[in-house]
Amino acid sequence: SRRCCHATSDHGAGASSFGDTTSDRKRLPMPPNTPLRVRLGPANAYLIPARDGYVLVDTGDPFNASRLARALARLAIPPEAIRLIVVTHAHADHVGGLAAIKRRSGAPVMAHRSEVALIEQGTAVAPPGIGRYGRAWAAVTRVGIRFLRVEPCAVEIAVDDEASLEDYGVAGRVLHTPGHTIGSISVLVDGDAFVGDLCVNGLRFVRGPGLPLFGDDVPTIHDSWRRVLAAGAKTIYPAHGAPFAAEKLRPLPRRRQ
């Protein structure tokens, strides 16, 4: 699996191990074919190198939409270099910056067919919680979601079960991995799995890799973990927390009958 550089839009932060990306320091070249993790407040976006640019996975929440533009500028990546935007699911902390980066880049948007209406209508939803803390946080979210505004955005490519990324310069594919939401998808590229909220790593009150705080159905999440592992995932790139070895998802619970 390829090493992941880390880039944030906060002042003084840079690409981990490859030099500071602020203007007063020399920017060191990054290894080819290295995924870039862009921290957008509580969520991560990822830039996957393509033949002539990048595929962007997720876009952060509405409050951090401008961070993505600043991170691209510090990394010297013009918005037009984004060839495709993949939305792992339609929650606000993943699509909040979508309309803005689509305008700047002109890139098409890919999402699962079950999520398209939510994205195109700008509908913010409050997902059910998993576990005691997740259920408590879900109750808070149901109150706050009423005041959240997500800008609608057109989706050009609707995925059902699987889609190739070859047309966008990446030797990888998108897989349907439901459980967190009915239309959650993951991007698989050369052993790297960009999974959105299919699992998280190191959230408050969550030790290490494990279940997200929110989700439609836990057994379905576990089934999607199986699918990602069977597809050859070696490193998991979650939307919340740092990348981790895919084997940390094992042992999986027994499959439901």
Side-chain angles (χ1 to χ4, degrees), residues 145-203:
I145 205 82
R146 303 173 190 171
F147 307 99
L148 187 62
R149 297 292 176 265
V150 177
E151 186 176 354
C153 185
V155 177
E156 287 77 15
I157 306 157
V159 175
D160 290 309
D161 184 62
E162 186 172 338
S164 171
L165 295 176
E166 290 282 355
D167 288 347
Y168 304 95
V170 173
R173 55 187 171 141
V174 168
L175 298 179
H176 184 209
T177 51
H180 177 65
T181 69
I182 191 172
S184 289
I185 56 177
S186 298
V187 179
L188 275 292
V189 183
D190 191 28
D192 293 336
F194 304 85
V195 301
D197 288 355
L198 187 61
C199 50
V200 300
N201 185 21
L203 286 179

Side-chain angles (χ1 to χ4, degrees), residues 83-235:
R83 300 191 57 189
L84 175 70
I85 306 167
V86 177
V87 175
T88 61
H89 60 290
H91 287 168
D93 56 337
H94 297 257
V95 300
L98 179 59
I101 191 60
K102 180 178 172 63
R103 278 193 296 272
R104 294 188 180 100
S105 67
V109 175
M110 175 184 286
H112 191 270
R113 193 173 303 278
S114 299
E115 310 278 311
V116 169
L118 294 173
I119 297 169
E120 294 192 332
Q121 294 167 11
T123 303
V125 296
I130 294 175
R132 181 181 301 175
Y133 180 66
R135 288 191 292 271
W137 191 244
V140 174
T141 301
R142 283 192 293 273
V143 175
I145 205 82
R146 303 173 190 171
F147 307 99
L148 187 62
R149 297 292 176 265
V150 177
E151 186 176 354
C153 185
V155 177
E156 287 77 15
I157 306 157
V159 175
D160 290 309
D161 184 62
E162 186 172 338
S164 171
L165 295 176
E166 290 282 355
D167 288 347
Y168 304 95
V170 173
R173 55 187 171 141
V174 168
L175 298 179
H176 184 209
T177 51
H180 177 65
T181 69
I182 191 172
S184 289
I185 56 177
S186 298
V187 179
L188 275 292
V189 183
D190 191 28
D192 293 336
F194 304 85
V195 301
D197 288 355
L198 187 61
C199 50
V200 300
N201 185 21
L203 286 179
R204 187 176 297 176
F205 302 116
V206 178
R207 291 185 179 180
L211 289 167
L213 293 178
F214 307 104
D216 288 344
D217 185 68
V218 171
T220 303
I221 290 174
H222 288 149
D223 285 343
S224 290
W225 287 4
R226 290 185 182 93
R227 185 175 195 192
V228 167
L229 291 168
K234 303 299 182 187
T235 304

